[in-house]
Amino acid sequence: MSDRLRGKRAFVTAAAVGIGRACAVAFAREGAEVFATDIDEGKLALLKNDGVPEVAKLDVRDSAAVDAMARRVGKIDILLNAAGFVHHGTVLECSDADWDFSFDLNVKSMHRTIRAFLPGMLEAGRGSIVNISSAAGVFKAAPNRYVYGATKAAVAALTRAVATDFITRGIRCNAICPGTIETPSMLNRAEAAGPGGRDMFVSRQPMGRLGTADEIGALAVYLASDESAFTTGVAHIIDGGWTL
Ligand code: NAD
């Protein structure tokens, strides 16, 4: 452990697996006190083996639950919003219900958590918010990622709006835009694509490999820490050159 986040309190959504989990563990490793949340209590409980003992069930689609959680946790210095769902299909396969679900989970969830935790950050005069967006939708259109791309572009816009509105009050808000990162849901998507699905994802990578959740965690630590104090409102791409 080193001390890049020593003395800071961090709150992470969708922290049971994948990118959210890697960010929670990386924050704890750098000395932060971390509150990790997810709807999957079983996998959340495993976080204590990796230095994150404070975990709680939280459905980020539930506004009242998010507000209650913010009251319970109190002031935080770092908010990491990781929850997101990948809808597969074009506009023709996207029902109204698909659209609403994706925007609720991928975008409105961040509206809920930021609205709930920002007042405490403003009182303290400091805070770093990090939203997980995607290279898809912000830097590149990916096939069959119609509503997913729209939600992730909205996350980048929401990020800039928060950064602009609170820039004079000690608040920074950045987005991370990963390319293809090896996580449980990404592997499920590869499997669903049929035999050789994972190889297909790897073949579009100029570096010849997928990214790791730990690599996203490392960027999140930088953005959460005071090392990035002059950086706000930016969509940070980390994609192994996929969009070059
Ligand atoms: P994942 O899909 O493997 O896991 C998502 C987690 O979210 C799970 O633990 C799940 O229980 C939790 N979750 C689902 N609904 C929830 C809800 N309503 N409330 C709280 N938690 C909920 O995660 P991942 O692949 O690491 O993706 C995390 C984020 O990164 C997402 O926003 C995703 O869009 C984004 N992203 C991922 C990739 C990738 O290649 N994996 C690339 C770009 C962006």
Side-chain angles (χ1 to χ4, degrees):
M1 199 208 300
S2 66
D3 285 338
R4 293 164 71 197
L5 300 177
R6 170 75 52 210
K8 293 188 189 291
R9 305 179 87 224
F11 187 87
V12 183
T13 72
V17 301
I19 289 170
R21 184 183 209 282
C23 292
V25 171
F27 288 171
R29 199 177 295 134
E30 293 296 341
E33 180 188 2
V34 179
F35 299 86
T37 64
D38 199 289
I39 49 173
D40 187 336
E41 289 183 282
K43 293 206 180 78
L44 262 185
L46 301 174
L47 270 166
K48 66 174 179 300
N49 304 332
D50 287 304
V52 184
E54 292 189 87
V55 299
K57 183 175 182 178
L58 177 66
D59 181 348
V60 290
R61 299 185 64 208
D62 181 339
S63 297
V66 169
D67 288 344
M69 183 62 74
R71 284 193 296 274
R72 174 177 152 192
V73 169
K75 283 187 184 150
I76 57 168
D77 305 281
I78 300 160
L79 170 61
L80 187 296
N81 283 311
F85 168 75
V86 181
H87 174 269
H88 180 89
T90 71
V91 60
L92 299 178
E93 288 83 44
C94 184
S95 67
D96 283 358
D98 292 333
W99 176 276
D100 290 345
F101 176 81
S102 287
F103 266 85
D104 193 42
L105 179 53
N106 296 10
V107 189
K108 197 170 178 185
S109 63
M110 300 191 185
H111 161 69
R112 291 184 182 101
T113 54
I114 293 169
R115 188 180 56 188
F117 281 103
L118 185 57
M121 289 180 166
L122 289 170
E123 265 179 46
R126 63 171 189 277
S128 175
I129 301 167
V130 182
N131 299 321
I132 306 297
S133 175
S134 174
V138 180
F139 293 98
K140 183 180 171 75
N144 290 306
R145 294 291 179 265
Y146 165 68
V147 68
Y148 179 72
T151 64
K152 292 303 186 179
V155 169
L158 172 157
T159 299
R160 281 192 293 274
V162 172
T164 298
D165 286 340
F166 298 98
I167 195 164
T168 59
R169 301 178 65 187
I171 309 300
R172 296 185 299 113
C173 187
N174 287 283
I176 295 179
C177 298
T180 310
I181 309 301
E182 194 148 356
T183 65
S185 70
M186 184 269 137
L187 292 173
N188 288 342
R189 287 191 293 279
E191 214 168 274
R198 185 181 178 284
D199 293 345
M200 183 273 289
F201 280 108
V202 173
S203 70
R204 66 184 197 183
Q205 292 296 117
M207 287 187 182
R209 70 170 179 88
L210 303 175
T212 68
D214 287 345
E215 287 171 318
I216 307 302
L219 178 53
V221 166
Y222 169 70
L223 292 174
S225 77
D226 297 337
E227 294 161 20
S228 60
F230 203 51
T231 299
T232 192
V234 180
H236 300 262
I237 192 162
I238 172 165
D239 71 343
W242 180 46
T243 54
L244 285 174

